[in-house]
Amino acid sequence: LLDRHYFAPRAKTEAQMLSCFKGGWYNLAERFTDLTKVLLLCIFYSPFYPFIYFLGAATLFLQYWVDKFLLLRSWKRAPTVGADTPRFSRRYFSTAAIVIGVIGAGYAYARSPFTFLCSCREGDCDGLTDSTTFTNVSLLNSTVLESVETPTEGYYYCDQKYLGFPPIPSKQDYSLQWMTPSQEDLTRTFGWFCVAVVAIYGVYALFSPTIKLTLSLVTGVYEPKGIDQRKDFSSGVGIECFGYIPSLEVDGFHFPLLACNIDDVDVGLIKWKDPNHIKEDAHRQYD
């Protein structure tokens, strides 16, 4: 914005002015990486901070509109890549982020409260439990008790790291049981939910493409997309139909340098237009 609205009107030459409108470079794969990262972090840390879903939604909302503005107003035109990149990211990386986040949440519920301490249950900690005696205890109704004895709960070290898959209560060792009854109910439900999510992901992302690839070897699997617009390619040359013309972008030049012979190529197939020079001047095949 600074180059276009401040430096461009004050440029001394046309070349300096055009250099202010080149636009920035962007990578579509990097943008999808940022989206997957936000999705993974939201699901992974949601057991500890459920409000993170709202923060993640706000982040993706802001990222969408900022990227849309930069794509239409600031970034330079990138090579056409089609829909393969978003389709691949949606099928594998986005779903994998959800699966990893769900499994991480399951282990977070199972290993809570992360103290590596197991409470002494009846008969498990002989000699570790104790009691404390308080004398002259004054109650709220002004009653004074000579002595009150309270038992002190004992704890011992237990390793919560080695919890197999799925993270369910039965994976605890008999002598290393740290889960409360309510935690066991939640962990049991969420643990089997993790198994279901992994199975669905395996079928969706791995098994289904394998079946399709196998069928493609013996039968046709191509399915046409879109409809016939009743337009010839030649009628849209220079307007909405362009060709692939090998070119090089070199610093100091405002337009790409052509890297092929265009003697028999319609110049309308070239996307860019230079108002001051014909496109043959950019021909660099014999340089």
Side-chain angles (χ1 to χ4, degrees):
L1 294 178
L2 186 63
D3 289 339
R4 296 183 179 184
H5 296 281
Y6 181 81
F7 291 107
R10 294 166 176 78
K12 302 298 182 180
T13 63
E14 182 180 4
Q16 293 178 354
M17 182 192 68
L18 292 177
S19 64
C20 297
F21 291 88
K22 294 179 62 175
W25 178 86
Y26 78 98
N27 188 351
L28 185 61
E30 181 182 355
R31 310 314 304 160
F32 277 101
T33 301
D34 293 340
L35 183 149
T36 306
K37 176 177 61 178
V38 174
L39 183 63
L40 174 61
L41 291 177
C42 286
I43 300 178
F44 187 81
Y45 288 103
S46 60
F48 310 102
Y49 189 55
F51 188 73
I52 197 173
Y53 282 117
F54 297 95
L55 298 180
T59 301
L60 294 178
F61 177 82
L62 182 63
Q63 178 181 336
Y64 169 79
W65 285 107
V66 170
D67 287 355
K68 184 176 182 179
F69 175 81
L70 294 176
L71 182 65
L72 299 177
R73 301 289 183 177
S74 180
W75 287 333
K76 65 172 61 176
R77 177 179 294 177
T80 303
V81 296
D84 292 338
T85 299
R87 187 182 299 113
F88 187 87
S89 177
R90 182 176 63 252
R91 186 177 189 89
Y92 295 100
F93 292 106
S94 298
T95 52
I98 296 176
V99 172
I100 295 174
V102 169
I103 295 176
Y107 280 99
Y109 288 130
R111 293 174 177 174
S112 178
F114 304 96
T115 57
F116 293 94
L117 294 176
C118 288
S119 176
C120 290
R121 300 184 180 181
E122 183 177 357
D124 292 341
C125 303
D126 295 337
L128 293 181
T129 57
D130 197 359
S131 60
T132 303
T133 302
F134 299 91
T135 60
N136 298 326
V137 178
S138 179
L139 303 181
L140 295 178
N141 58 2
S142 301
T143 303
V144 178
L145 302 179
E146 294 183 358
S147 63
V148 175
E149 183 177 356
T150 59
T152 302
E153 187 175 6
Y155 294 89
Y156 63 95
Y157 174 79
C158 60
D159 195 350
Q160 301 174 354
K161 291 182 179 179
Y162 302 103
L163 188 66
F165 183 83
I168 55 179
S170 60
K171 296 295 182 179
Q172 302 177 103
D173 292 337
Y174 175 75
S175 60
L176 303 178
Q177 298 183 1
W178 64 87
M179 296 186 187
T180 62
S182 60
Q183 184 181 2
E184 290 184 354
D185 294 338
L186 174 62
T187 303
R188 184 179 297 106
T189 303
F190 206 92
W192 290 115
F193 176 73
C194 292
V195 175
V197 170
V198 172
I200 294 174
Y201 176 76
V203 173
Y204 172 75
L206 302 178
F207 185 73
S208 178
T210 303
I211 295 298
K212 186 176 181 179
L213 178 61
T214 304
L215 292 177
S216 66
L217 300 177
V218 296
T219 184
V221 294
Y222 172 76
E223 296 180 0
K225 298 180 180 179
I227 59 176
D228 187 2
Q229 298 181 353
R230 306 295 180 181
K231 293 182 179 180
D232 297 332
F233 179 83
S234 57
S235 62
V237 172
I239 302 176
E240 60 181 8
C241 298
F242 302 97
Y244 171 71
I245 308 297
S247 59
L248 300 173
E249 294 188 5
V250 181
D251 293 338
F253 293 88
H254 304 299
F255 297 94
L257 303 181
L258 303 180
C260 65
N261 188 355
I262 60 172
D263 293 340
D264 298 327
V265 177
D266 189 344
V267 294
L269 294 175
I270 305 176
K271 291 184 178 181
W272 54 268
K273 296 180 181 180
D274 186 351
N276 297 325
H277 304 282
I278 61 175
K279 295 181 179 180
E280 286 77 359
D281 293 343
H283 190 194
R284 291 297 181 268
Q285 180 186 11
Y286 304 106
D287 288 357

